[in-house]
Amino acid sequence: MRQWYGVRAKGSRMTRSWAEPWKIKVVEPIRMTTKQERIAAIAEAGYNTFLLRSEDVYIDLLTDSGTSAMSDQQWAGMMIGDEAYAGAKSYYNLVGAVEDVYGYEELIPTHQGRAAEHILSQILIKDGDYVPGNMYFTTTRFHQEYAGGKFVDVIIDEAHDPTSLHPFKGNIDLDKLRKLIDEVGADKIPYISVESNVNMAGGQPVSMANLKATYELCHQHGILVMLDATRTVDNAWFIKQREEVYADKSIAEIMREICDYSDGATVSSKKDNLVNIGGFLALRDPELAKQARALLVAFEGLHTYGGMSGRDMEALARGIREMVETDDHVRARVGQVEYLGNKLVEAGVPIIRPVGGHGVFLNAKAILPHIPHDEFPAQALAAALYVESGVRGMERGIVSAGRNKVTGNHNYPKLELVRLTIPRRVYTQAHMDVTAESVIEVVENSAAVGGLRFTYEPESLRFFQARFEPIG
Ligand code: P70
């Protein structure tokens, strides 16, 4: 019998776009405001997008942190979360998920990523120690310094160059690392902090070859490797695309191998893990885990819930499994970011390339060359974009970089960026179109955007709560 369907003409090649591997079951209305309203709102917020009320925001690209849409499976898990104070079933489900997906046996649950960073820094860093890392992250560096350590940037130079097209801009420069070990001695370096898909570099990945080489070098010197595995799924996707030998491996397999080159990890579950709150520290060494749990009970909660409720742990356990269940999930996630990025590239807007995993990073220095660095070009650009369109982004430049502890001067980062971060499973392609149109409009009228100065500058992590006013 002839097959009724499925016989295709010889040589025909089908090409298909990716589409999200889910459909929408619940929606939340959003509201567009008038320009007059937005001018008043941003002034009220001291020109800091962190201080806007979300009801005044149309498309919220402040962060991909805690802003994901949970699946029906996760919501169902919320209902059966075990709220026992000790030994909850949901805790053991979480332990199982972390072990299966990341491969770490010791789990220390926390309320979010920075709590895990706090505990890790306190158990490992002594006064006067050095902690190398592939570019700083704000909260990570804060906790390293708070514990008496000094952060040393050992990322490759290309990461600081917005025009470099290096496929793995998150890589560690092994020569810089070797030089640090020679200069200060391995006993002054408790661990290296390796961030997957480096946030401040624009969501740029680390290659598997580099992870392996870093692990080997560190272990020769007795230095631990601690992964910031907050966005490892995105990193796994880029490895699959760009590191040939991984093309046929699943995201789940690549994830596991990334983690194999580490002794533990801190994770903000508000990103990859598809939940609105949560995080964890995961370790291999039971002795270290014991020390971590001693701090956990003091700062977070009992060791079988840390900083989370039973339902949070249940939704998290399911989110962890979901993020690697199919490769289509991350393909659609990174694909959407790339879609927005490509639209801006086509329009000639200067952005960090290659397009990153969790967002598109506008090069504010190039867009607003008339604003001096100490008048905060990226802060001004984020405010102007909000006023133009109701789209909310985040400054990732000199305000985020803070001041040098010794001299009191601003740290002047090479990258002066506005991050448009895409929440997972939340916005549609049409939202990306509107965002691109809004950015293009601001860039075309960039001469109208002026600089800012502080009216309030917090001492640490100043970007969160700082207030500004326009100059002139
Ligand atoms: C963001 C969020 C959080 C984060 C991260 C990496 C690579 C740790 C954490 C901390 C939230 C944020 C935090 C500081 C400044 C701005 C925004 N990143 N490691 O939007 O985790 O927030 O759960 O404590 O990206 O990028 P948590």
Side-chain angles (χ1 to χ4, degrees):
M1 207 177 81
R2 251 194 84 198
Q3 212 179 333
W4 71 273
Y5 181 75
V7 183
R8 222 174 298 139
K10 259 209 178 121
S12 85
R13 240 183 110 241
M14 245 183 16
T15 51
R16 286 272 162 84
S17 305
W18 55 266
E20 287 79 2
W22 39 259
K23 57 185 177 174
I24 297 166
K25 192 180 273 190
V26 179
V27 297
E28 176 186 341
I30 50 176
R31 183 179 71 99
M32 185 55 161
T33 46
T34 65
K35 195 163 186 173
Q36 270 331 97
E37 286 172 322
R38 293 194 295 277
I39 288 172
I42 197 73
E44 177 81 12
Y47 297 84
N48 184 349
T49 52
F50 275 106
L51 301 180
L52 287 166
R53 288 167 180 250
S54 75
E55 63 183 347
D56 294 332
V57 174
Y58 178 43
I59 299 175
D60 201 348
L61 307 183
L62 183 73
T63 175
D64 63 332
S65 181
T67 52
S68 298
M70 292 207 296
S71 67
D72 51 0
Q73 288 298 316
Q74 287 178 286
W75 279 109
M78 295 287 276
M79 207 58 222
I80 57 165
D82 180 355
E83 303 302 343
Y85 188 92
K89 202 162 112 190
S90 303
Y91 165 73
Y92 289 104
N93 288 345
L94 179 58
V95 170
V98 169
E99 197 174 339
D100 288 350
V101 174
Y102 292 89
Y104 305 113
E105 284 177 9
E106 302 287 343
L107 176 77
I108 289 95
T110 58
H111 76 283
Q112 59 184 82
R114 67 198 72 180
E117 292 167 354
H118 177 212
I119 291 171
L120 180 71
S121 303
Q122 291 297 325
I123 59 173
L124 285 179
I125 301 172
K126 292 188 304 298
D127 235 353
D129 278 350
Y130 295 82
V131 187
N134 49 348
M135 203 173 265
Y136 83 99
F137 186 70
T138 50
T139 57
T140 321
R141 186 181 66 189
F142 174 87
H143 283 297
Q144 290 163 355
E145 289 174 353
Y146 189 70
K150 187 176 182 326
F151 169 81
V152 183
D153 191 4
V154 293
I155 203 166
I156 56 171
D157 287 341
E158 285 87 341
H160 294 281
D161 175 1
T163 63
S164 160
L165 290 176
H166 193 292
F168 291 105
K169 282 167 103 170
N171 277 357
I172 282 121
D173 185 327
L174 294 172
D175 288 334
K176 286 185 192 170
L177 182 56
R178 270 189 214 102
K179 193 163 159 259
L180 180 71
I181 296 171
D182 286 348
E183 270 171 25
V184 305
D187 56 334
K188 283 261 176 244
I189 308 175
Y191 65 95
I192 178 172
S193 176
V194 177
E195 186 185 336
S196 51
N197 235 55
V198 183
N199 192 351
M200 299 298 281
Q204 302 293 325
V206 189
S207 74
M208 195 72 88
N210 187 255
L211 286 165
K212 185 165 185 266
T214 302
Y215 184 76
E216 282 166 1
L217 175 64
C218 286
H219 274 230
Q220 276 165 21
H221 290 89
I223 297 167
L224 295 175
V225 176
M226 291 296 168
L227 189 67
D228 181 334
T230 296
R231 294 187 182 84
T232 304
V233 178
D234 295 349
N235 202 125
W237 175 254
F238 288 125
I239 287 177
K240 189 175 165 79
Q241 301 308 302
R242 299 177 190 168
E243 223 169 332
E244 226 176 288
V245 282
Y246 292 92
D248 296 324
K249 291 231 158 114
S250 69
I251 293 300
E253 288 170 313
I254 300 173
M255 273 283 300
R256 271 302 289 269
E257 192 176 333
I258 292 175
C259 298
D260 284 349
Y261 300 124
S262 71
D263 300 289
T266 53
V267 176
S268 165
S269 295
K270 302 170 73 175
K271 286 83 169 173
D272 269 358
N273 296 167
L274 300 163
V275 288
N276 305 117
I277 193 73
F280 57 88
L281 167 63
L283 296 164
R284 298 196 198 281
D285 179 357
E287 260 319 298
L288 265 188
K290 211 182 266 175
Q291 294 172 33
R293 287 192 184 106
L295 292 185
L296 187 75
V297 293
F299 287 107
E300 291 280 296
L302 191 78
H303 61 283
T304 60
Y305 71 85
M308 279 183 279
S309 64
R311 53 183 173 273
D312 291 336
M313 291 192 285
E314 194 61 48
L316 173 54
R318 292 172 183 222
I320 287 172
R321 293 194 188 278
E322 244 170 52
M323 72 187 187
V324 293
E325 209 165 85
T326 66
D327 293 4
D328 290 341
H329 162 69
V330 62
R331 181 187 190 203
R333 190 273 180 293
V334 178
Q336 188 179 39
V337 177
E338 202 174 28
Y339 175 84
L340 174 63
N342 287 346
K343 283 215 140 198
L344 295 177
V345 170
E346 278 160 28
V349 176
I351 65 166
I352 298 286
R353 293 177 65 203
V355 177
H358 63 306
V360 173
F361 291 68
L362 309 176
N363 184 351
K365 235 188 212 172
I367 294 168
L368 303 172
H370 56 284
I371 300 185
H373 208 172
D374 53 9
E375 293 179 14
F376 317 123
Q379 191 76 32
L381 183 61
L385 180 63
Y386 169 72
V387 168
E388 185 59 48
S389 61
V391 171
R392 167 156 74 168
M394 182 193 289
E395 193 265 5
R396 299 276 75 176
I398 183 167
V399 181
S400 298
R403 288 185 186 273
N404 181 300
K405 282 249 166 355
V406 182
T407 65
N409 295 330
H410 293 303
N411 293 318
Y412 287 88
K414 289 209 179 85
L415 300 178
E416 179 69 19
L417 312 172
V418 171
R419 185 182 75 174
L420 302 175
T421 341
I422 315 300
R424 293 164 185 78
R425 308 194 294 206
V426 170
Y427 290 114
T428 66
Q429 208 145 306
H431 291 113
M432 298 300 109
D433 290 340
V434 171
T435 300
E437 289 158 15
S438 309
V439 171
I440 292 163
E441 193 150 349
V442 174
V443 171
E444 280 171 0
N445 297 309
S446 60
V449 182
L452 298 168
R453 67 175 153 240
F454 277 117
T455 59
Y456 166 59
E457 183 187 353
E459 224 169 86
S460 60
L461 299 172
R462 61 185 184 176
F463 52 92
F464 281 131
Q465 294 172 87
R467 301 184 68 86
F468 303 83
E469 65 185 7
I471 295 175

